[in-house]
mmCIF file of all heavy atoms in Angstrom:
data_model
loop_
_atom_site.group_PDB
_atom_site.id
_atom_site.type_symbol
_atom_site.label_atom_id
_atom_site.label_comp_id
_atom_site.label_asym_id
_atom_site.label_seq_id
_atom_site.Cartn_x
_atom_site.Cartn_y
_atom_site.Cartn_z
ATOM 1 N N MET A 1 3.621 7.105 23.701
ATOM 2 C CA MET A 1 2.460 6.361 24.124
ATOM 3 C C MET A 1 2.640 6.066 25.610
ATOM 4 O O MET A 1 3.646 5.497 26.000
ATOM 5 C CB MET A 1 2.373 5.068 23.302
ATOM 6 C CG MET A 1 1.156 4.290 23.572
ATOM 7 S SD MET A 1 0.821 3.021 22.363
ATOM 8 C CE MET A 1 2.105 1.861 22.656
ATOM 9 N N ALA A 2 1.667 6.470 26.401
ATOM 10 C CA ALA A 2 1.735 6.261 27.845
ATOM 11 C C ALA A 2 0.582 5.380 28.304
ATOM 12 O O ALA A 2 -0.568 5.639 27.990
ATOM 13 C CB ALA A 2 1.685 7.601 28.560
ATOM 14 N N VAL A 3 0.919 4.325 29.010
ATOM 15 C CA VAL A 3 -0.070 3.415 29.566
ATOM 16 C C VAL A 3 0.102 3.426 31.070
ATOM 17 O O VAL A 3 1.213 3.326 31.580
ATOM 18 C CB VAL A 3 0.119 1.984 29.013
ATOM 19 C CG1 VAL A 3 -0.869 1.027 29.626
ATOM 20 C CG2 VAL A 3 0.012 1.980 27.497
ATOM 21 N N TYR A 4 -0.998 3.560 31.798
ATOM 22 C CA TYR A 4 -0.905 3.551 33.247
ATOM 23 C C TYR A 4 -1.874 2.525 33.818
ATOM 24 O O TYR A 4 -2.707 1.962 33.118
ATOM 25 C CB TYR A 4 -1.143 4.954 33.836
ATOM 26 C CG TYR A 4 -2.478 5.561 33.468
ATOM 27 C CD1 TYR A 4 -3.573 5.372 34.296
ATOM 28 C CD2 TYR A 4 -2.641 6.308 32.314
ATOM 29 C CE1 TYR A 4 -4.805 5.913 33.975
ATOM 30 C CE2 TYR A 4 -3.862 6.857 31.991
ATOM 31 C CZ TYR A 4 -4.948 6.653 32.838
ATOM 32 O OH TYR A 4 -6.166 7.178 32.518
ATOM 33 N N ASP A 5 -1.771 2.284 35.101
ATOM 34 C CA ASP A 5 -2.532 1.203 35.753
ATOM 35 C C ASP A 5 -4.040 1.385 35.686
ATOM 36 O O ASP A 5 -4.784 0.425 35.680
ATOM 37 C CB ASP A 5 -2.106 1.081 37.220
ATOM 38 C CG ASP A 5 -0.694 0.533 37.366
ATOM 39 O OD1 ASP A 5 -0.258 -0.151 36.437
ATOM 40 O OD2 ASP A 5 -0.061 0.790 38.405
ATOM 41 N N GLY A 6 -4.530 2.612 35.615
ATOM 42 C CA GLY A 6 -5.965 2.866 35.620
ATOM 43 C C GLY A 6 -6.654 2.578 34.292
ATOM 44 O O GLY A 6 -7.867 2.637 34.204
ATOM 45 N N MET A 7 -5.900 2.274 33.252
ATOM 46 C CA MET A 7 -6.489 2.044 31.928
ATOM 47 C C MET A 7 -6.977 0.601 31.817
ATOM 48 O O MET A 7 -6.320 -0.323 32.279
ATOM 49 C CB MET A 7 -5.468 2.335 30.827
ATOM 50 C CG MET A 7 -5.049 3.785 30.756
ATOM 51 S SD MET A 7 -3.819 4.091 29.487
ATOM 52 C CE MET A 7 -4.845 4.134 28.046
ATOM 53 N N SER A 8 -8.115 0.442 31.154
ATOM 54 C CA SER A 8 -8.636 -0.906 30.924
ATOM 55 C C SER A 8 -7.950 -1.505 29.699
ATOM 56 O O SER A 8 -7.250 -0.822 28.940
ATOM 57 C CB SER A 8 -10.142 -0.859 30.712
ATOM 58 O OG SER A 8 -10.445 -0.216 29.492
ATOM 59 N N GLY A 9 -8.178 -2.791 29.486
ATOM 60 C CA GLY A 9 -7.580 -3.478 28.351
ATOM 61 C C GLY A 9 -8.036 -2.916 27.020
ATOM 62 O O GLY A 9 -7.280 -2.815 26.064
ATOM 63 N N GLY A 10 -9.319 -2.541 26.954
ATOM 64 C CA GLY A 10 -9.862 -1.975 25.718
ATOM 65 C C GLY A 10 -9.254 -0.639 25.382
ATOM 66 O O GLY A 10 -8.964 -0.346 24.211
ATOM 67 N N GLU A 11 -9.027 0.195 26.381
ATOM 68 C CA GLU A 11 -8.398 1.488 26.156
ATOM 69 C C GLU A 11 -6.960 1.334 25.663
ATOM 70 O O GLU A 11 -6.526 2.064 24.771
ATOM 71 C CB GLU A 11 -8.414 2.325 27.437
ATOM 72 C CG GLU A 11 -9.776 2.801 27.841
ATOM 73 C CD GLU A 11 -9.773 3.504 29.176
ATOM 74 O OE1 GLU A 11 -8.918 3.182 30.030
ATOM 75 O OE2 GLU A 11 -10.629 4.385 29.366
ATOM 76 N N ILE A 12 -6.256 0.367 26.238
ATOM 77 C CA ILE A 12 -4.869 0.118 25.814
ATOM 78 C C ILE A 12 -4.853 -0.360 24.374
ATOM 79 O O ILE A 12 -4.033 0.071 23.567
ATOM 80 C CB ILE A 12 -4.192 -0.898 26.756
ATOM 81 C CG1 ILE A 12 -4.043 -0.295 28.151
ATOM 82 C CG2 ILE A 12 -2.830 -1.326 26.212
ATOM 83 C CD1 ILE A 12 -3.582 -1.286 29.209
ATOM 84 N N PHE A 13 -5.781 -1.268 24.027
ATOM 85 C CA PHE A 13 -5.846 -1.781 22.653
ATOM 86 C C PHE A 13 -6.138 -0.664 21.675
ATOM 87 O O PHE A 13 -5.508 -0.575 20.611
ATOM 88 C CB PHE A 13 -6.903 -2.883 22.550
ATOM 89 C CG PHE A 13 -7.084 -3.376 21.153
ATOM 90 C CD1 PHE A 13 -6.156 -4.234 20.583
ATOM 91 C CD2 PHE A 13 -8.170 -2.971 20.386
ATOM 92 C CE1 PHE A 13 -6.314 -4.686 19.285
ATOM 93 C CE2 PHE A 13 -8.337 -3.402 19.092
ATOM 94 C CZ PHE A 13 -7.396 -4.268 18.538
ATOM 95 N N ILE A 14 -7.102 0.195 21.999
ATOM 96 C CA ILE A 14 -7.445 1.308 21.106
ATOM 97 C C ILE A 14 -6.266 2.250 20.946
ATOM 98 O O ILE A 14 -5.982 2.734 19.839
ATOM 99 C CB ILE A 14 -8.706 2.053 21.625
ATOM 100 C CG1 ILE A 14 -9.921 1.157 21.460
ATOM 101 C CG2 ILE A 14 -8.893 3.375 20.913
ATOM 102 C CD1 ILE A 14 -11.169 1.701 22.101
ATOM 103 N N LEU A 15 -5.547 2.509 22.011
ATOM 104 C CA LEU A 15 -4.370 3.373 21.960
ATOM 105 C C LEU A 15 -3.285 2.784 21.052
ATOM 106 O O LEU A 15 -2.740 3.474 20.188
ATOM 107 C CB LEU A 15 -3.808 3.596 23.364
ATOM 108 C CG LEU A 15 -2.598 4.503 23.497
ATOM 109 C CD1 LEU A 15 -2.959 5.919 23.070
ATOM 110 C CD2 LEU A 15 -2.091 4.493 24.920
ATOM 111 N N ILE A 16 -3.028 1.493 21.202
ATOM 112 C CA ILE A 16 -2.014 0.832 20.369
ATOM 113 C C ILE A 16 -2.449 0.789 18.908
ATOM 114 O O ILE A 16 -1.665 1.075 17.999
ATOM 115 C CB ILE A 16 -1.708 -0.586 20.906
ATOM 116 C CG1 ILE A 16 -0.986 -0.479 22.253
ATOM 117 C CG2 ILE A 16 -0.875 -1.391 19.924
ATOM 118 C CD1 ILE A 16 -0.831 -1.805 22.971
ATOM 119 N N ALA A 17 -3.723 0.440 18.659
ATOM 120 C CA ALA A 17 -4.221 0.344 17.282
ATOM 121 C C ALA A 17 -4.209 1.712 16.584
ATOM 122 O O ALA A 17 -3.797 1.803 15.417
ATOM 123 C CB ALA A 17 -5.638 -0.228 17.279
ATOM 124 N N SER A 18 -4.627 2.754 17.292
ATOM 125 C CA SER A 18 -4.636 4.079 16.656
ATOM 126 C C SER A 18 -3.216 4.580 16.380
ATOM 127 O O SER A 18 -2.970 5.184 15.345
ATOM 128 C CB SER A 18 -5.400 5.074 17.519
ATOM 129 O OG SER A 18 -4.747 5.259 18.756
ATOM 130 N N THR A 19 -2.287 4.301 17.287
ATOM 131 C CA THR A 19 -0.891 4.678 17.066
ATOM 132 C C THR A 19 -0.338 3.951 15.850
ATOM 133 O O THR A 19 0.338 4.548 15.011
ATOM 134 C CB THR A 19 -0.043 4.357 18.313
ATOM 135 O OG1 THR A 19 -0.582 5.044 19.425
ATOM 136 C CG2 THR A 19 1.394 4.772 18.102
ATOM 137 N N PHE A 20 -0.632 2.654 15.753
ATOM 138 C CA PHE A 20 -0.155 1.862 14.612
ATOM 139 C C PHE A 20 -0.707 2.400 13.304
ATOM 140 O O PHE A 20 0.023 2.583 12.321
ATOM 141 C CB PHE A 20 -0.561 0.401 14.794
ATOM 142 C CG PHE A 20 -0.144 -0.486 13.667
ATOM 143 C CD1 PHE A 20 1.173 -0.895 13.546
ATOM 144 C CD2 PHE A 20 -1.071 -0.907 12.723
ATOM 145 C CE1 PHE A 20 1.568 -1.719 12.499
ATOM 146 C CE2 PHE A 20 -0.699 -1.719 11.681
ATOM 147 C CZ PHE A 20 0.632 -2.132 11.565
ATOM 148 N N LEU A 21 -2.011 2.673 13.259
ATOM 149 C CA LEU A 21 -2.622 3.167 12.020
ATOM 150 C C LEU A 21 -2.110 4.551 11.640
ATOM 151 O O LEU A 21 -1.851 4.824 10.461
ATOM 152 C CB LEU A 21 -4.141 3.188 12.158
ATOM 153 C CG LEU A 21 -4.804 1.814 12.190
ATOM 154 C CD1 LEU A 21 -6.276 1.935 12.484
ATOM 155 C CD2 LEU A 21 -4.564 1.067 10.892
ATOM 156 N N LEU A 22 -1.976 5.444 12.601
ATOM 157 C CA LEU A 22 -1.498 6.784 12.301
ATOM 158 C C LEU A 22 -0.056 6.780 11.786
ATOM 159 O O LEU A 22 0.297 7.584 10.922
ATOM 160 C CB LEU A 22 -1.602 7.685 13.542
ATOM 161 C CG LEU A 22 -3.013 8.131 13.884
ATOM 162 C CD1 LEU A 22 -3.013 8.870 15.212
ATOM 163 C CD2 LEU A 22 -3.587 9.008 12.790
ATOM 164 N N ASN A 23 0.747 5.886 12.309
ATOM 165 C CA ASN A 23 2.146 5.817 11.868
ATOM 166 C C ASN A 23 2.286 5.134 10.505
ATOM 167 O O ASN A 23 3.357 5.234 9.890
ATOM 168 C CB ASN A 23 3.014 5.101 12.904
ATOM 169 C CG ASN A 23 3.273 5.970 14.111
ATOM 170 O OD1 ASN A 23 3.440 7.172 13.974
ATOM 171 N ND2 ASN A 23 3.301 5.367 15.269
ATOM 172 N N ASN A 24 1.269 4.446 10.044
ATOM 173 C CA ASN A 24 1.352 3.745 8.759
ATOM 174 C C ASN A 24 0.590 4.434 7.644
ATOM 175 O O ASN A 24 0.421 3.860 6.567
ATOM 176 C CB ASN A 24 0.872 2.304 8.925
ATOM 177 C CG ASN A 24 1.947 1.438 9.520
ATOM 178 O OD1 ASN A 24 3.080 1.444 9.070
ATOM 179 N ND2 ASN A 24 1.595 0.730 10.561
ATOM 180 N N ILE A 25 0.124 5.656 7.842
ATOM 181 C CA ILE A 25 -0.570 6.393 6.785
ATOM 182 C C ILE A 25 0.333 6.577 5.556
ATOM 183 O O ILE A 25 -0.120 6.331 4.430
ATOM 184 C CB ILE A 25 -1.113 7.737 7.309
ATOM 185 C CG1 ILE A 25 -2.301 7.483 8.228
ATOM 186 C CG2 ILE A 25 -1.510 8.661 6.162
ATOM 187 C CD1 ILE A 25 -2.832 8.710 8.917
ATOM 188 N N PRO A 26 1.609 6.958 5.698
ATOM 189 C CA PRO A 26 2.446 7.083 4.496
ATOM 190 C C PRO A 26 2.604 5.761 3.756
ATOM 191 O O PRO A 26 2.624 5.725 2.517
ATOM 192 C CB PRO A 26 3.794 7.551 5.043
ATOM 193 C CG PRO A 26 3.491 8.188 6.347
ATOM 194 C CD PRO A 26 2.312 7.446 6.892
ATOM 195 N N THR A 27 2.668 4.654 4.472
ATOM 196 C CA THR A 27 2.770 3.337 3.841
ATOM 197 C C THR A 27 1.533 3.039 3.017
ATOM 198 O O THR A 27 1.630 2.547 1.880
ATOM 199 C CB THR A 27 2.953 2.255 4.912
ATOM 200 O OG1 THR A 27 4.096 2.584 5.714
ATOM 201 C CG2 THR A 27 3.149 0.898 4.279
ATOM 202 N N ILE A 28 0.369 3.351 3.553
ATOM 203 C CA ILE A 28 -0.885 3.106 2.842
ATOM 204 C C ILE A 28 -0.962 3.960 1.582
ATOM 205 O O ILE A 28 -1.363 3.480 0.517
ATOM 206 C CB ILE A 28 -2.077 3.361 3.785
ATOM 207 C CG1 ILE A 28 -2.078 2.344 4.923
ATOM 208 C CG2 ILE A 28 -3.387 3.331 3.038
ATOM 209 C CD1 ILE A 28 -3.003 2.680 6.067
ATOM 210 N N VAL A 29 -0.544 5.211 1.673
ATOM 211 C CA VAL A 29 -0.554 6.100 0.506
ATOM 212 C C VAL A 29 0.394 5.581 -0.564
ATOM 213 O O VAL A 29 0.045 5.515 -1.751
ATOM 214 C CB VAL A 29 -0.186 7.547 0.918
ATOM 215 C CG1 VAL A 29 0.063 8.418 -0.290
ATOM 216 C CG2 VAL A 29 -1.265 8.136 1.803
ATOM 217 N N LEU A 30 1.603 5.190 -0.162
ATOM 218 C CA LEU A 30 2.578 4.702 -1.147
ATOM 219 C C LEU A 30 2.121 3.394 -1.783
ATOM 220 O O LEU A 30 2.353 3.176 -2.984
ATOM 221 C CB LEU A 30 3.940 4.520 -0.483
ATOM 222 C CG LEU A 30 4.653 5.819 -0.125
ATOM 223 C CD1 LEU A 30 5.912 5.518 0.668
ATOM 224 C CD2 LEU A 30 4.982 6.623 -1.361
ATOM 225 N N LEU A 31 1.478 2.518 -1.031
ATOM 226 C CA LEU A 31 0.949 1.284 -1.613
ATOM 227 C C LEU A 31 -0.164 1.590 -2.619
ATOM 228 O O LEU A 31 -0.265 0.922 -3.660
ATOM 229 C CB LEU A 31 0.418 0.357 -0.518
ATOM 230 C CG LEU A 31 1.468 -0.453 0.226
ATOM 231 C CD1 LEU A 31 0.820 -1.186 1.402
ATOM 232 C CD2 LEU A 31 2.169 -1.421 -0.687
ATOM 233 N N GLY A 32 -0.990 2.579 -2.330
ATOM 234 C CA GLY A 32 -2.030 2.981 -3.276
ATOM 235 C C GLY A 32 -1.434 3.473 -4.575
ATOM 236 O O GLY A 32 -1.908 3.131 -5.659
ATOM 237 N N ILE A 33 -0.392 4.294 -4.489
ATOM 238 C CA ILE A 33 0.280 4.793 -5.692
ATOM 239 C C ILE A 33 0.903 3.642 -6.461
ATOM 240 O O ILE A 33 0.797 3.562 -7.687
ATOM 241 C CB ILE A 33 1.336 5.836 -5.305
ATOM 242 C CG1 ILE A 33 0.665 7.089 -4.762
ATOM 243 C CG2 ILE A 33 2.231 6.170 -6.495
ATOM 244 C CD1 ILE A 33 1.633 8.064 -4.121
ATOM 245 N N TYR A 34 1.538 2.714 -5.755
ATOM 246 C CA TYR A 34 2.192 1.567 -6.396
ATOM 247 C C TYR A 34 1.180 0.726 -7.174
ATOM 248 O O TYR A 34 1.397 0.400 -8.344
ATOM 249 C CB TYR A 34 2.894 0.699 -5.350
ATOM 250 C CG TYR A 34 3.368 -0.612 -5.894
ATOM 251 C CD1 TYR A 34 4.476 -0.683 -6.726
ATOM 252 C CD2 TYR A 34 2.692 -1.795 -5.592
ATOM 253 C CE1 TYR A 34 4.904 -1.901 -7.238
ATOM 254 C CE2 TYR A 34 3.110 -3.001 -6.091
ATOM 255 C CZ TYR A 34 4.223 -3.057 -6.909
ATOM 256 O OH TYR A 34 4.634 -4.247 -7.430
ATOM 257 N N PHE A 35 0.068 0.366 -6.523
ATOM 258 C CA PHE A 35 -0.905 -0.483 -7.196
ATOM 259 C C PHE A 35 -1.596 0.268 -8.341
ATOM 260 O O PHE A 35 -1.956 -0.339 -9.352
ATOM 261 C CB PHE A 35 -1.926 -1.026 -6.200
ATOM 262 C CG PHE A 35 -1.378 -2.130 -5.346
ATOM 263 C CD1 PHE A 35 -1.283 -1.977 -3.978
ATOM 264 C CD2 PHE A 35 -0.944 -3.310 -5.909
ATOM 265 C CE1 PHE A 35 -0.777 -2.977 -3.176
ATOM 266 C CE2 PHE A 35 -0.432 -4.335 -5.129
ATOM 267 C CZ PHE A 35 -0.352 -4.157 -3.762
ATOM 268 N N GLY A 36 -1.754 1.569 -8.213
ATOM 269 C CA GLY A 36 -2.332 2.346 -9.306
ATOM 270 C C GLY A 36 -1.425 2.404 -10.517
ATOM 271 O O GLY A 36 -1.872 2.297 -11.651
ATOM 272 N N CYS A 37 -0.141 2.555 -10.294
ATOM 273 C CA CYS A 37 0.826 2.640 -11.401
ATOM 274 C C CYS A 37 1.171 1.278 -11.976
ATOM 275 O O CYS A 37 1.571 1.162 -13.127
ATOM 276 C CB CYS A 37 2.095 3.343 -10.938
ATOM 277 S SG CYS A 37 1.852 5.073 -10.562
ATOM 278 N N ARG A 38 1.041 0.239 -11.163
ATOM 279 C CA ARG A 38 1.398 -1.106 -11.627
ATOM 280 C C ARG A 38 0.523 -1.534 -12.790
ATOM 281 O O ARG A 38 1.005 -2.159 -13.741
ATOM 282 C CB ARG A 38 1.266 -2.091 -10.467
ATOM 283 C CG ARG A 38 1.770 -3.478 -10.793
ATOM 284 C CD ARG A 38 1.754 -4.323 -9.581
ATOM 285 N NE ARG A 38 0.408 -4.855 -9.384
ATOM 286 C CZ ARG A 38 0.122 -5.821 -8.535
ATOM 287 N NH1 ARG A 38 1.051 -6.327 -7.779
ATOM 288 N NH2 ARG A 38 -1.114 -6.257 -8.433
ATOM 289 N N GLU A 39 -0.752 -1.191 -12.744
ATOM 290 C CA GLU A 39 -1.654 -1.541 -13.840
ATOM 291 C C GLU A 39 -1.231 -0.861 -15.143
ATOM 292 O O GLU A 39 -1.252 -1.486 -16.201
ATOM 293 C CB GLU A 39 -3.088 -1.167 -13.481
ATOM 294 C CG GLU A 39 -3.664 -1.968 -12.344
ATOM 295 C CD GLU A 39 -3.738 -3.446 -12.649
ATOM 296 O OE1 GLU A 39 -4.067 -3.807 -13.796
ATOM 297 O OE2 GLU A 39 -3.446 -4.235 -11.740
ATOM 298 N N LYS A 40 -0.835 0.387 -15.051
ATOM 299 C CA LYS A 40 -0.377 1.106 -16.244
ATOM 300 C C LYS A 40 0.893 0.474 -16.802
ATOM 301 O O LYS A 40 1.062 0.370 -18.028
ATOM 302 C CB LYS A 40 -0.126 2.575 -15.926
ATOM 303 C CG LYS A 40 -1.384 3.353 -15.640
ATOM 304 C CD LYS A 40 -1.057 4.796 -15.319
ATOM 305 C CE LYS A 40 -2.298 5.537 -14.902
ATOM 306 N NZ LYS A 40 -2.013 6.904 -14.510
ATOM 307 N N MET A 41 1.783 0.053 -15.923
ATOM 308 C CA MET A 41 3.033 -0.571 -16.367
ATOM 309 C C MET A 41 2.758 -1.901 -17.054
ATOM 310 O O MET A 41 3.390 -2.225 -18.071
ATOM 311 C CB MET A 41 3.985 -0.763 -15.187
ATOM 312 C CG MET A 41 4.544 0.549 -14.649
ATOM 313 S SD MET A 41 5.471 0.404 -13.118
ATOM 314 C CE MET A 41 6.679 -0.817 -13.516
ATOM 315 N N LYS A 42 1.810 -2.697 -16.521
ATOM 316 C CA LYS A 42 1.457 -3.973 -17.152
ATOM 317 C C LYS A 42 0.885 -3.741 -18.546
ATOM 318 O O LYS A 42 1.244 -4.450 -19.494
ATOM 319 C CB LYS A 42 0.420 -4.710 -16.297
ATOM 320 C CG LYS A 42 0.976 -5.457 -15.142
ATOM 321 C CD LYS A 42 -0.156 -6.220 -14.472
ATOM 322 C CE LYS A 42 0.321 -6.985 -13.285
ATOM 323 N NZ LYS A 42 -0.775 -7.733 -12.638
ATOM 324 N N LEU A 43 0.002 -2.762 -18.665
ATOM 325 C CA LEU A 43 -0.622 -2.466 -19.954
ATOM 326 C C LEU A 43 0.430 -2.024 -20.963
ATOM 327 O O LEU A 43 0.424 -2.471 -22.113
ATOM 328 C CB LEU A 43 -1.689 -1.382 -19.789
ATOM 329 C CG LEU A 43 -2.414 -0.948 -21.050
ATOM 330 C CD1 LEU A 43 -3.193 -2.119 -21.633
ATOM 331 C CD2 LEU A 43 -3.332 0.213 -20.745
ATOM 332 N N ARG A 44 1.347 -1.172 -20.539
ATOM 333 C CA ARG A 44 2.402 -0.692 -21.420
ATOM 334 C C ARG A 44 3.310 -1.837 -21.884
ATOM 335 O O ARG A 44 3.700 -1.920 -23.053
ATOM 336 C CB ARG A 44 3.230 0.386 -20.703
ATOM 337 C CG ARG A 44 4.136 1.135 -21.651
ATOM 338 C CD ARG A 44 4.821 2.301 -20.968
ATOM 339 N NE ARG A 44 3.816 3.269 -20.507
ATOM 340 C CZ ARG A 44 3.867 3.877 -19.319
ATOM 341 N NH1 ARG A 44 4.845 3.626 -18.497
ATOM 342 N NH2 ARG A 44 2.934 4.738 -18.982
ATOM 343 N N ALA A 45 3.614 -2.780 -20.973
ATOM 344 C CA ALA A 45 4.452 -3.922 -21.330
ATOM 345 C C ALA A 45 3.742 -4.823 -22.344
ATOM 346 O O ALA A 45 4.374 -5.332 -23.289
ATOM 347 C CB ALA A 45 4.818 -4.713 -20.086
ATOM 348 N N GLU A 46 2.443 -5.037 -22.144
ATOM 349 C CA GLU A 46 1.681 -5.852 -23.094
ATOM 350 C C GLU A 46 1.632 -5.200 -24.474
ATOM 351 O O GLU A 46 1.779 -5.882 -25.484
ATOM 352 C CB GLU A 46 0.270 -6.083 -22.566
ATOM 353 C CG GLU A 46 0.183 -7.040 -21.415
ATOM 354 C CD GLU A 46 0.573 -8.456 -21.800
ATOM 355 O OE1 GLU A 46 0.219 -8.897 -22.913
ATOM 356 O OE2 GLU A 46 1.233 -9.115 -20.983
ATOM 357 N N LEU A 47 1.428 -3.893 -24.515
ATOM 358 C CA LEU A 47 1.409 -3.200 -25.813
ATOM 359 C C LEU A 47 2.771 -3.280 -26.501
ATOM 360 O O LEU A 47 2.857 -3.440 -27.725
ATOM 361 C CB LEU A 47 1.002 -1.743 -25.616
ATOM 362 C CG LEU A 47 -0.462 -1.510 -25.278
ATOM 363 C CD1 LEU A 47 -0.705 -0.048 -24.937
ATOM 364 C CD2 LEU A 47 -1.347 -1.954 -26.408
ATOM 365 N N GLU A 48 3.838 -3.210 -25.713
ATOM 366 C CA GLU A 48 5.171 -3.303 -26.300
ATOM 367 C C GLU A 48 5.417 -4.705 -26.864
ATOM 368 O O GLU A 48 5.979 -4.849 -27.950
ATOM 369 C CB GLU A 48 6.212 -2.985 -25.226
ATOM 370 C CG GLU A 48 7.624 -2.884 -25.784
ATOM 371 C CD GLU A 48 8.606 -2.426 -24.735
ATOM 372 O OE1 GLU A 48 8.229 -1.628 -23.855
ATOM 373 O OE2 GLU A 48 9.758 -2.888 -24.802
ATOM 374 N N LYS A 49 4.950 -5.746 -26.162
ATOM 375 C CA LYS A 49 5.090 -7.119 -26.660
ATOM 376 C C LYS A 49 4.328 -7.270 -27.981
ATOM 377 O O LYS A 49 4.800 -7.914 -28.918
ATOM 378 C CB LYS A 49 4.535 -8.119 -25.651
ATOM 379 C CG LYS A 49 5.452 -8.440 -24.526
ATOM 380 C CD LYS A 49 4.797 -9.487 -23.623
ATOM 381 C CE LYS A 49 5.596 -9.749 -22.388
ATOM 382 N NZ LYS A 49 4.929 -10.744 -21.522
ATOM 383 N N MET A 50 3.121 -6.693 -28.024
ATOM 384 C CA MET A 50 2.318 -6.802 -29.244
ATOM 385 C C MET A 50 2.986 -6.103 -30.414
ATOM 386 O O MET A 50 3.014 -6.619 -31.527
ATOM 387 C CB MET A 50 0.921 -6.224 -29.015
ATOM 388 C CG MET A 50 0.051 -7.080 -28.157
ATOM 389 S SD MET A 50 -1.523 -6.328 -27.673
ATOM 390 C CE MET A 50 -2.082 -5.565 -29.142
ATOM 391 N N SER A 51 3.576 -4.931 -30.193
ATOM 392 C CA SER A 51 4.214 -4.240 -31.294
ATOM 393 C C SER A 51 5.482 -4.948 -31.742
ATOM 394 O O SER A 51 5.813 -4.951 -32.916
ATOM 395 C CB SER A 51 4.498 -2.781 -31.004
ATOM 396 O OG SER A 51 4.793 -2.512 -29.714
ATOM 397 N N ILE A 52 6.181 -5.613 -30.834
ATOM 398 C CA ILE A 52 7.373 -6.366 -31.227
ATOM 399 C C ILE A 52 6.954 -7.556 -32.071
ATOM 400 O O ILE A 52 7.597 -7.879 -33.080
ATOM 401 C CB ILE A 52 8.160 -6.810 -29.972
ATOM 402 C CG1 ILE A 52 8.829 -5.609 -29.340
ATOM 403 C CG2 ILE A 52 9.200 -7.865 -30.323
ATOM 404 C CD1 ILE A 52 9.506 -5.885 -28.014
ATOM 405 N N GLN A 53 5.857 -8.230 -31.689
ATOM 406 C CA GLN A 53 5.379 -9.367 -32.479
ATOM 407 C C GLN A 53 4.881 -8.929 -33.845
ATOM 408 O O GLN A 53 4.999 -9.670 -34.816
ATOM 409 C CB GLN A 53 4.267 -10.093 -31.712
ATOM 410 C CG GLN A 53 4.769 -10.865 -30.512
ATOM 411 C CD GLN A 53 3.636 -11.502 -29.733
ATOM 412 O OE1 GLN A 53 2.471 -11.259 -29.998
ATOM 413 N NE2 GLN A 53 4.004 -12.294 -28.733
ATOM 414 N N ASP A 54 4.329 -7.742 -33.955
ATOM 415 C CA ASP A 54 3.838 -7.244 -35.241
ATOM 416 C C ASP A 54 5.008 -6.957 -36.199
ATOM 417 O O ASP A 54 4.855 -7.041 -37.415
ATOM 418 C CB ASP A 54 3.042 -5.951 -35.050
ATOM 419 C CG ASP A 54 1.684 -6.217 -34.438
ATOM 420 O OD1 ASP A 54 1.240 -7.400 -34.443
ATOM 421 O OD2 ASP A 54 1.061 -5.245 -33.941
ATOM 422 N N LEU A 55 6.181 -6.634 -35.648
ATOM 423 C CA LEU A 55 7.338 -6.334 -36.503
ATOM 424 C C LEU A 55 7.937 -7.606 -37.094
ATOM 425 O O LEU A 55 8.622 -7.542 -38.113
ATOM 426 C CB LEU A 55 8.401 -5.594 -35.681
ATOM 427 C CG LEU A 55 8.027 -4.174 -35.254
ATOM 428 C CD1 LEU A 55 9.128 -3.626 -34.363
ATOM 429 C CD2 LEU A 55 7.824 -3.283 -36.447
ATOM 430 N N LYS A 56 7.687 -8.741 -36.502
ATOM 431 C CA LYS A 56 8.288 -9.997 -36.986
ATOM 432 C C LYS A 56 7.617 -10.500 -38.215
ATOM 433 O O LYS A 56 6.602 -10.342 -38.603
ATOM 434 C CB LYS A 56 8.235 -11.071 -35.887
ATOM 435 C CG LYS A 56 9.168 -10.762 -34.761
ATOM 436 C CD LYS A 56 9.114 -11.878 -33.753
ATOM 437 C CE LYS A 56 10.065 -11.594 -32.599
ATOM 438 N NZ LYS A 56 10.058 -12.632 -31.629
#
């Protein structure tokens, strides 16, 4: 990332924001996978609790 004297404040902000977002794309993808799978794990845990209670 190169910033020079001729750049305005808005250009610097856009440069920093775009660099930050581009570098965090893998983080966003992994968080999406995590939240998608978390719901399935919760459902599976609830079903397991119900089947354990049915055995008693």
Side-chain angles (χ1 to χ4, degrees):
M1 185 165 69
V3 178
Y4 58 91
D5 290 336
M7 295 178 79
S8 68
E11 290 174 331
I12 294 171
F13 176 76
I14 290 172
L15 182 64
I16 291 171
S18 64
T19 302
F20 179 77
L21 290 174
L22 286 173
N23 286 324
N24 281 310
I25 288 174
T27 304
I28 294 167
V29 169
L30 289 173
L31 280 173
I33 293 169
Y34 170 74
F35 285 117
C37 292
R38 187 174 82 167
E39 294 298 321
K40 290 180 186 177
M41 290 172 54
K42 279 184 181 181
L43 179 63
R44 193 173 298 138
E46 287 294 322
L47 288 173
E48 188 174 326
K49 281 182 186 179
M50 287 172 43
S51 33
I52 288 173
Q53 289 176 352
D54 287 344
L55 291 175
K56 290 182 179 181

